Amino acid sequence: MKLSDLTAYNPITIQCHDNPDADAIASGYALYIYFQSIGKEVRFIYCGRNRIQKPNMLLMLEHLNIPISYIEDTRSFLEKEPGGQVQGLLITTDCQYGAGNVTCLPAENVAIIDHHQVEIRDVEKSEINPHLGSCSTLVWSMLREAGYEIQDTKLGTALYYGLYTDTNQFSEIYNPLDMDMREALPYEKSLITLFRNSNLSLHEMEIAGVAMIRNIYNDDYKYGIIKAQPCDPNILGLISDFLNQVAEVNCCVVYNELKDGYKFSVRSCVKEVQANELAAFLAEGVGSGGGHREKAGGFINKVLYEEKYPTLHSEAFFSERLNDYFDHCQIIYAKDYDMGITGMKSYVKKQVPLGYVDATDVLPVGTPITIRTLEGDVDMVVEEDLVIMIGIKGEVYPNLREKFKRTYEATQKPYGQEKGHIHDNLIYEPTIHNRATGEVLKLTDYAKICIASGGTHIHAKELTGRVKVFTAWDEEKYMLGKEGDYLAVRCDDRHDIYVVERDIFFKTYEEIGEHA
């Protein structure tokens, strides 16, 4: 769904969920401003038992002049509406019409804009993206697609703060669109500081204190678990930051129960556990999770959870998932690992077109850059022999020119001209961020096509469980392999060990035999 699909309606009512947070208010406010700018009669409302009371929310409304109205008595409100229903179009933002966290108002027409797991499936006009850190990001992306450029600092500040709060002060950002919005918005830094430092009430301080007294600790795997009372997501981050500073705790999960599920925060201080990967593991099949290597978080949908774990209480769920995470995972340090190849099959790389970029064609040697991809940010420095590869699914990884020349035949054909190439269907086009100047460049604008020369021979085997590989070229961050993926090692270098996703493996390699 696009915003242009909604412009035929008038009037337009924007409703955020009951007891709205900063993200609900910011995303609704952005829609309000947009529809007002194109001449629509528009109003912004919320319902529920309680008015907005949190100090940071009240400051946000006051300083950003956000025109949101509280509907205390929905019955009286609907009596004033023709036919007892909202006229024109009702848009629910940061929530889904008919879900448990938003008062259901009868309406002529309904649309949904949300970033949580899909709960409501019978509303035709829906834009729901659970992979984003905030609904603010989703609305910003839709505004950008509609050609609406945000220049108003107050609106920019609202959206920035919406993302800030919903990603636990940016520690749980993992989608590149969230990062793009954070860097693109005009905002008032002093107001963000004011809102941030008005976030914790005396009651929430008490919640944090009580929660830290009651914890589960596993001495074998050195993890901690804490269940807190319902509170702002930032309080979970505060508790998990504190818990992870305990000498005996290498990683931890802090969570609380909400009406529609469980919000959780993850911390890690060891390289063998990436918080974003652990968060995704905990939420697999029942929600979503992600963030950074040290700080991450996620949400578990109660409906999905109860379907999959009908008899398991939450403390047992997190304990069992964490034990499973540690019990069933092999860790390989490629630099020192002696890879036995008995039983492994031999493969050669197929001659499929990939993308490559000579880094020095983009920026000078010595330039610090961040390559932003759907899989995350990759920091590096432009070197004379650095070649940036674009894989078959748009994944990005570094290569050295000497190895590149041995492995691939370079062409001068632009990458984007390959008909039907993955480039045409990228969910997110990788970008290069010059960390020295802030300049942002599309990697695909510089990419050319290369084809495997047939010189890349590997041994590989299908994984029957989870594996973490610290490659010889990156000893700080592991590659994760899951059941069905392939563990590979180059024939000419037994320490060049890596993981290839199953669907990529069969598109890029073909079997040539088995090693006895």
Side-chain angles (χ1 to χ4, degrees), residues 13 97 215 250 265 293 300 315 323 357 387 397 405 431 446 465 477 491:
T13 299
Y97 183 83
N215 66 83
N250 287 343
S265 181
R293 282 190 285 169
I300 293 173
E315 289 94 336
N323 288 336
V357 176
V387 178
Y397 52 95
K405 288 181 177 179
T431 54
Y446 299 87
K477 188 171 69 172
C491 293

Side-chain angles (χ1 to χ4, degrees), residues 226-242:
I226 286 178
K227 181 180 181 181
Q229 298 176 42
C231 59
D232 189 281
N234 290 321
I235 309 306
L236 298 181
L238 177 74
I239 299 169
S240 56
D241 283 338
F242 188 88

